[in-house]
Amino acid sequence: NKKQSRQANSETISIFIPYVWVLGPLGKMKINYLCVFQDFDLASIYVSDAQYNRNIYFDTSPEAVRLYLRYNHWLAKVLLYFFILVDLSLALFEEPAVLPLPIWATMLVELLCLLVFTIRLAHYAKVIPRDKFWKDPKNICIIVILLLTLVDMIIYGALKATNCYGVRWSRVLRPLLLVNVTEGRQLRRAFRSIRNALPQIFYVFLLFMFSLLMFSLMALKLLGKRGLKTIDGAPYFTNYLEIVFDLYVLVTTANSPDVMMPAYNSSFVFAIFFILYILINTYIFMSVFLAVVYNNYKKYLKEEVRQLVRAKRHKMARAFAVLQEHREEGGQPVVSQANWNQMVRLVQPDISNAHRELLWSVADDKNQGKVAFVQLVDLLNIEVITLKSRPHPLQSACPALYLSAPSRLLCRLVQHRAFVIVYDLIILVNAVFIGLDEENPMVSNSEWVFLALYLLEILLKLYVFEPKAFFSRHSFWNWFDTIIVVSALIATIINSAMKSSNRQILDIVFILRVLRLIRVVDSIKRFRAIINTLIRIGPAILTFGQLIIVVYYIFAMVGMELFKGKVKFFEEDSTDPDKAFCGNTDLKGTAFAQLNYCKNNFNNVVSSFILLVELTVVNQWHDILYLNASRTPDRGFVAVTHVSARIFFILFHIMVVIIIINIFVAFVLEAFFVEYSVDKSDLQTSLERKIEELELAVEHVGIVVFPGYRTVDALLQRMFEADLDPEDFAENDDPDGNFANPTFSSA
Amino acid sequence: NKKQSRQANSETISIFIPYVWVLGPLGKMKINYLCVFQDFDLASIYVSDAQYNRNIYFDTSPEAVRLYLRYNHWLAKVLLYFFILVDLSLALFEEPAVLPLPIWATMLVELLCLLVFTIRLAHYAKVIPRDKFWKDPKNICIIVILLLTLVDMIIYGALKATNCYGVRWSRVLRPLLLVNVTEGRQLRRAFRSIRNALPQIFYVFLLFMFSLLMFSLMALKLLGKRGLKTIDGAPYFTNYLEIVFDLYVLVTTANSPDVMMPAYNSSFVFAIFFILYILINTYIFMSVFLAVVYNNYKKYLKEEVRQLVRAKRHKMARAFAVLQEHREEGGQPVVSQANWNQMVRLVQPDISNAHRELLWSVADDKNQGKVAFVQLVDLLNIEVITLKSRPHPLQSACPALYLSAPSRLLCRLVQHRAFVIVYDLIILVNAVFIGLDEENPMVSNSEWVFLALYLLEILLKLYVFEPKAFFSRHSFWNWFDTIIVVSALIATIINSAMKSSNRQILDIVFILRVLRLIRVVDSIKRFRAIINTLIRIGPAILTFGQLIIVVYYIFAMVGMELFKGKVKFFEEDSTDPDKAFCGNTDLKGTAFAQLNYCKNNFNNVVSSFILLVELTVVNQWHDILYLNASRTPDRGFVAVTHVSARIFFILFHIMVVIIIINIFVAFVLEAFFVEYSVDKSDLQTSLERKIEELELAVEHVGIVVFPGYRTVDALLQRMFEADLDPEDFAENDDPDGNFANPTFSSA
């Protein structure tokens, strides 16, 4: 392996062995080597746990430490998430299926998944002390989920074997695995913050419901006896429960202004009633919901992050205790640079020497004691890009040509601001050409011109800039450009090579062409700032993605059991007479059928997810549910099942729209405020100051501090940094706290 | 006048005169009295300007000071706002009118309004120095508005006299008066904070538009050539501009899922395109808009409030300079208690002795110097209720009976917690009865029983509690109960006295009955807290109400000129065949006509306002505008006028939904955070501590500190209090700053 041998050549053999060992923990290796580096292993585990905020009580016996390193191996994690994904996507193949598979096939795959989860759990049980394992609700949860799933599979298999009707009810438990695996830290935190906000939300919700009930009562009294009719000719506002539902839907604005029109047509005075209702319930109450959710979110997150930071420092203090040495009698304990280097190499094997030296000098600058050491973990979380400012390969290969006057003029031209402007103009012209009809031969041929121009741009840049620097890990736009242009070239060639143009390839070509235009955003500084903030909060948004998937999955499973097959979708060219009412006579002449909503059904997991997205967006949900009481009452999902089906949809609305979407908005707000108010954290600036100081000392090495954070926790910590005391090590913590290692503290 | 004579009896005559003088500045009075109190007048003007945050440069000549007092008289302000209201409501009577009046009548009233505004402005010109008057953009604005209106009226009158077509274009200027009068401080601040946020909003908006254009281009390329049809059979996604508009509407979620259905019906893969679009543009971009608006709002408001507070302290320091005396040679200047009392009485004539003494003792507690004096204005803004704990009048009249055992038992019963619970239960039973059919005689008779019970409750409470305390200014719920119950009694009696039941009176009876139920909220502590917060931010919400009215009025005026008479509304019982398409053949068979939206028109100012509310709520606006391009293109307001009419509606959406609603949400969020995080400001708690200390000293006087603020500015100041240095007097300020009084500083 090339990388390893390079490392082995440049470093001593004593570094080589743990490095290989970290890379290959799943392989077998001799224990006797490990004893030599026991201290460094333990210290590096503490540091890496601190870096990734893992709060796991592992045993400190060499056996357990080895197992723990394997437990944290990236391959094990990828495998775990792969099998969770497989388990979740089984819903595609189970009845009601997108692609039906026989029951034995899905059952076998599910059994395999269960086996993998059991092995993972058993591995975990070996890493941490027995009593800690049984005290952790996560583990109990997983065991219960696994057992219930097994029981359900047996019952379902037996029922199917005897041709009875069976329900795979344990499917709703599947997404809970995402929450309860040890890696689901962010997700658990999000759920905790929801749980903590619930009491306050509940009181506001009660008040909101009270307001809703009062307005409904008033509407019943004012409008019920006037003999008004809806546009369908049904009586308007005569049934109290229907009014409550209609006004609840009005809060989401989905049936505005339809629900108001009959009253407004009778007299404009009634419009005041509805305007007042919307002002109070839609604008004020919904803002109050956001305020309550946001406030609680901030409050509890702050507390959680505070604990997280204390746990982190605690672990770093442990690592320090392992590595420390007393330079003089009675002096402060310190960590020597040799130990430091060894430990940093273990924690982050791919770190460059320059970067490591920089970290040491920042830490060394203050003192070599504990405080500086504890900061190491924060320093590691700051992204530093090491750019070797080496000469261009062409310059080394053919210096005469590369340094000639025309070549240097070309370099100056490419680096000039005008070059960027010219290419931005080309992109704009390209946008116009894309908008034109591509069947015109002039337009379709112009595509080749644009492709050639874009390729030329990339080649020119490669001529001017050092290729490794051009394609460094953080040159997002360079990667973006190259990938898009090269794929567009390949797709366009394939497309024109084929005689009859293939629709799919053409689609890809179109998408690539349009994506190419996005590049123009990067040229404008103001836009870049906003885009960078969005990209930076991207990973945290993924946590919300998981949250949404957990909730959607559960609702989709329940919805499929309740509503599958009630509404049928017929293809465009079908001549089935049932097409006009989605295959359900209850839907004859309803808005649902008229608006061609037949595909909005729970007939498989994909449709269910898309329907749930539509319900999240809220608009027309009364039509989707055909629940609009102001037209003829009780049709659709409610007609084909029961009025109580509304409870399912209202629960979904409260859960997703009122709680989760508000937490999402709260998070985006908070992240933007942090980006606006603090540009760089203290540590980052001290790192940059150091880089400036060292400029002359570290020769031929360009280091750039990237103002980003490697982990979501680092972003969260930054949000609440101001309130944290850097000297707080949490050393006197209760040993039962869930981050201390009890066996170590007795050693 | 009873109040004055009472005051005169209890206080010395020296207090009486300025008191009368303050009450009656519009009357004539002798100047020679004033000379005696000149200092106090000036000081009290400074204090009162500080209290209400008036930043007006008045002349300090006695003449100007007198005029300035008159200028600030409440009657003058009420008259001004009355005439602004009259001016604005002229739109009801002008073509297109709700109640048409002849042109000469509305013209005459408008002339009268203009006259009043001119007089007010002339008064203002006399109060402040000439050069300051002409430098103030507010005054220039008013003069321009008045002149333009006059010119427009003359042109319009001339055109009408010669039977030509004329447009009253100056009507859009009317609401600007609300912004530019000296009292429109809050409104101006709101507009300033919008203006300051605009650049940042603009960049995010550009990025949002870029994303919209890219998605539209992709939609055109992916979906335009597939030959898909909308439910109306029109081609789907073939025209770029129509796609842009459709996707813009999708951001508001108004046409979800309709706009997606044809693509989704063709393949579920396209749903991913729309889901991605909604995620990015609806959820992320709209949150970013809120974040940007909120962040800028907070930032600029903070700066404005900081300036406000410095100006306030500056004015208080001026007042101190007027009143100060040197007790000993070279010592710190102080204000004597006599001067203090006289000044406080001038500023707040209705202050109780106990309250004034309390303020003095709080100020005295620290020192009698400037810092304590400057705090006076904040102390005055804290609401303090003086409750004389005097005996019940029945006790004084007939002590034997009132203090007898049965009477005392009754008092204990009424004050018991169970009494509240019993009445809450009665209210709940009442709610059920209201929900039942009132034509049932049992139900309609039960109403008398409930009325009697509620009356009994009020009478019992009046028996137990001292009536003046019961009806004190801050006993909101007592007032609420009594007014509702008494009005319900009167309305019910009138209703049953009349032979044929009158619909209007019955409506009022119903509304009152339902309102009575709201009382139950007050019994639950958790609810009370939320409700109180809402009530407290109520006045500030009024500022947003004015803001909305200004914007609505301008859009309504423009909309009426553009769209009046294009759509006609026919009464329910009309048999006109044009009714089916709202009197406009362009609307035949459109969703607009089918949904019975004919009354959503710009035919008069009331309809326009209601239509604009519907557009603010956003839902169905594509139907309201009949602009839904995914059905047959270009109908309705666009068909009856021109495609460019869309610009009007999109402008309205950007202005109101993206900017103003977000600022409103930002304000509610901030206010709730303040209420959640800070319960009482420092000053308030020091006031309460003082009250506890003085408990024994101030005999027979109960004082309750009400945790509310008299002015919006006080609430704002509290929001940003933490950042303000209490010692910052802004004394070295540039005399050209807009709060210092230049003539005074030279005196």
Side-chain angles (χ1 to χ4, degrees), chain B residues 14 30 32 38 186 290 298 399 405 497 558 577 590 609 689 700:
Chain B
S14 66
K30 292 191 178 108
N32 56 335
Q38 181 61 53
Q186 312 290 346
L290 179 57
K298 228 162 63 172
V558 176
T590 58
F609 264 71
R689 231 179 7 250
H700 283 300

Side-chain angles (χ1 to χ4, degrees), chain B residues 327-347:
Chain B
R327 208 162 277 175
E328 61 230 36
E329 203 60 47
Q332 283 281 323
V334 291
V335 171
S336 70
Q337 187 165 9
N339 282 354
W340 162 278
N341 284 347
Q342 208 149 329
M343 200 269 306
V344 171
R345 276 197 212 98
L346 265 177
V347 173

Side-chain angles (χ1 to χ4, degrees), chain A residues 221 226 254 438 507 619, chain B residues 221 226 254 434 438 507 619:
Chain A
K221 290 282 122 180
R226 281 174 198 263
E438 75 271 7
D507 282 350
N619 197 56
Chain B
K221 289 283 122 179
R226 282 172 198 265
I434 292 175
E438 76 271 5
D507 282 348
N619 197 56

Side-chain angles (χ1 to χ4, degrees), chain A residues 82-110 113 156 160 168 171 174 553 557 560-561 564 603-609, chain B residues 268:
Chain A
F82 172 74
F83 277 102
I84 290 179
L85 201 67
V86 168
D87 194 31
L88 288 179
S89 43
L90 278 177
L92 289 169
F93 310 105
E94 292 164 340
E95 225 22 73
V98 181
L99 296 167
L101 281 185
I103 290 175
W104 61 264
T106 57
M107 287 276 207
L108 265 186
V109 174
E110 185 152 19
C113 293
Y156 186 75
K160 279 289 152 185
R168 275 301 314 273
R171 300 201 297 174
R174 284 178 191 160
Y553 200 89
M557 291 300 131
M560 271 157 55
E561 290 306 334
K564 70 183 167 199
N603 292 353
N604 63 55
V605 71
V606 174
S607 304
S608 306
F609 265 69
Chain B
F268 78 90

